Amino acid sequence: MYHATTKPLSRSTGRSSVAAAAYRAGVKLEDQRTAQVFDFTRRSGVVATTILAPADASQFARDRASLWNAAEAAEKRKDARTAREWVLALPSELGAEERADLARDFAGVLVERFGVAVDVAIHAPSRGGDDRNHHAHLLCTTRMIGSDGLGEKCALELSDTKRKTLGLDSAADEIAALRERWTVLANAALEKAGSAARIDHRSLLAQQDAAFERGDLAEAIALDRPAQVHIGVHATQMDRRAGQIVSRRGRMHERAVALARHVVNSAARWAHGLIDAMRPEAEALECAEISRVQVADPGPDTANDMPASAASRPANGIDLGAERRRREDAEKQKRKDENPLADLIQKWRTRAGDARSKPDESTQKKEKAKMARPNEGVADASRQSQPQHRQERDRDGGPEVKG
């Protein structure tokens, strides 16, 4: 399952990067700015922790307490962003060491790309939860770090206006590129481990279009489902306290998972049924298209004013018409061998598009009624005015009689 999200930690919401680092690493840290102590040494589920920083970074960058207290001290604004967090779902198909290496690889991408320090914490699935929920928290400094300590804000934290002056894409585009990079790294790790599982950062609709393009109708049907909803910390705690799923997000997630399982399990059967149901219509359309092409192009020799009947006569022992049909059949068979569903899917999508663009019968009746109303109004007004006109004519002595 794909999950790679990022969000900043801001003082405006009452958050502290020191507290966040202590919780994710399961350690005890003191925030020197507020004199608060955050002790999470009793928490379980922390599998591994490490800090990655640029090669020329000061030694304090490898010490968790020194790093995050420096990050807090570098910011003066009350709404400053002191850290940025990435949350990654680690594939359950990988082993513990492979998952740790994968998380460190992505952290290395962030270090190299932005020049920041990254605090990595890998968590195991929680008790009573999904045992496949291996995940990693990557806490990044918002400022670049070098031999002199923390410096300017990194490129990802700059406004889009500032990024544009530097010739950079928007921050949203940058995050989208990083999400795609995570897909590449995770799939490479899965392939190296010999697993057939893969993740995809694209939306379900984009994946469905790609499945149609490569002729995988079963996969396209399996992707026709709502996306799953991330439950979140607060909803998860609510469900655990109740001993059952009571939160709105939890219920939405449960319904989405059940529907996804049903669709995936039934997709192949639905695809075969759809192909069988549409095969006669597709074959009829194919025959009609062949007939239309043959009528439009009776033969290759018509440019020489040769009758169509003469074009198919044997020349040097070769029947030109039969040869042309043989080539057409061979090309058609080649296309079907390369992608047996391509013609059927194209016909299906074309007819579906025509059906959507064609107004239904009720709509056409309404349009005709609207067009008819103005004329009806004029006719009614004309009929109403006729008695009045006759009355005025009778009162004036009738029409003038010319001698």
Side-chain angles (χ1 to χ4, degrees):
M1 180 178 175
Y2 182 89
H3 183 80
T5 59
T6 182
K7 58 184 178 182
L9 272 69
S10 176
R11 283 180 185 166
S12 61
T13 57
R15 304 192 68 182
S16 163
S17 60
V18 176
Y23 177 78
R24 282 146 184 78
V27 297
K28 179 180 179 181
L29 296 177
E30 180 183 0
D31 189 339
Q32 297 173 359
R33 188 179 67 90
T34 61
Q36 287 182 286
V37 176
F38 302 98
D39 187 358
F40 295 101
T41 53
R42 297 181 62 183
R43 73 154 298 173
S44 60
V46 180
V47 177
T49 62
T50 187
I51 297 177
L52 280 72
D56 61 342
S58 303
Q59 189 59 34
F60 83 94
R62 272 75 180 180
D63 178 73
R64 187 167 285 109
S66 301
L67 174 64
W68 294 113
N69 274 293
E72 288 288 337
E75 307 298 340
K76 306 303 179 186
R77 295 170 59 97
K78 63 181 181 181
D79 60 348
R81 294 180 174 182
T82 58
R84 172 173 290 275
E85 182 183 28
W86 286 84
V87 181
L88 309 172
L90 301 175
S92 59
E93 294 82 1
L94 301 178
E97 287 298 325
E98 294 168 326
R99 288 191 291 267
D101 291 340
L102 177 58
R104 285 192 290 266
D105 287 345
F106 187 73
V109 171
L110 298 176
V111 171
E112 182 179 355
R113 194 159 185 161
F114 302 116
V116 297
V118 182
D119 193 349
V120 182
I122 298 174
H123 291 179
S126 57
R127 291 192 300 270
D130 191 339
D131 58 2
R132 300 168 299 173
N133 187 24
H134 300 274
H135 58 280
H137 295 267
L138 279 60
L139 205 60
C140 311
T141 59
T142 57
R143 294 180 178 272
M144 296 181 288
I145 188 168
S147 57
D148 298 331
L150 293 171
E152 297 296 325
K153 288 285 188 179
C154 72
L156 187 58
E157 304 304 324
L158 300 178
S159 66
D160 285 345
T161 304
K162 180 65 174 177
R163 290 176 61 88
K164 187 175 182 180
T165 61
L166 297 175
L168 302 174
D169 293 332
S170 66
D173 292 336
E174 185 90 50
I175 291 172
L178 289 168
R179 283 167 52 84
E180 183 176 0
R181 180 62 177 160
W182 168 250
T183 299
V184 173
L185 291 174
N187 286 337
L190 287 166
E191 183 178 5
K192 184 178 178 181
S195 173
R198 296 292 184 270
I199 63 173
D200 200 321
H201 64 284
R202 297 173 299 174
S203 66
L204 291 177
L205 182 60
Q207 295 179 52
Q208 188 181 46
D209 288 341
F212 272 126
E213 292 298 327
R214 64 176 181 266
D216 192 345
L217 186 57
E219 179 68 14
I221 294 176
L223 291 167
D224 189 16
R225 63 180 189 270
Q228 296 183 20
V229 180
H230 180 62
I231 301 177
V233 177
H234 301 296
T236 300
Q237 292 175 349
M238 183 187 303
D239 294 339
R240 287 176 181 172
R241 285 195 298 267
Q244 58 182 342
I245 298 177
V246 296
S247 65
R248 183 176 63 87
R249 281 181 170 268
R251 290 195 299 269
M252 291 173 61
H253 178 78
E254 187 179 39
R255 285 195 296 268
V257 170
L259 180 58
R261 288 175 178 168
H262 174 65
V263 170
V264 169
N265 293 334
S266 307
R269 176 169 51 83
W270 292 344
H272 289 305
L274 180 60
I275 292 172
D276 292 340
M278 295 191 66
R279 182 175 284 111
E281 184 177 359
E283 291 176 351
L285 290 172
E286 189 70 19
C287 292
E289 185 175 349
I290 293 172
S291 300
R292 181 182 61 79
V293 171
Q294 290 177 347
V295 171
D297 184 14
D301 298 323
T302 55
N304 298 326
D305 296 330
M306 182 183 294
S309 59
S312 60
R313 292 173 187 168
N316 297 328
I318 301 176
D319 190 341
L320 299 180
E323 180 66 18
R324 186 180 70 253
R325 289 191 294 273
R326 186 190 65 77
R327 289 198 304 267
E328 291 176 352
D329 293 341
E331 292 177 359
K332 189 182 303 180
Q333 187 62 41
K334 182 180 178 181
R335 290 196 301 269
K336 289 183 178 180
D337 291 341
E338 293 175 351
N339 190 351
L341 296 179
D343 293 340
L344 178 61
I345 292 173
Q346 184 61 34
K347 299 294 183 185
W348 179 30
R349 299 178 73 178
T350 301
R351 290 181 65 83
D354 293 342
R356 285 193 297 268
S357 62
K358 182 179 178 182
D360 58 9
E361 196 171 325
S362 61
T363 304
Q364 291 179 342
K365 289 181 179 179
K366 290 180 181 179
E367 293 296 331
K368 289 181 180 179
K370 288 181 181 178
M371 295 175 64
R373 285 191 192 110
N375 296 333
E376 292 175 0
V378 172
D380 293 343
S382 176
R383 285 195 296 269
Q384 292 174 2
S385 64
Q386 286 179 3
Q388 183 178 0
H389 176 69
R390 282 196 293 268
Q391 291 176 2
E392 292 176 353
R393 186 187 61 188
D394 295 341
R395 187 174 60 251
D396 293 340
E400 181 180 357
V401 180
K402 295 184 179 181

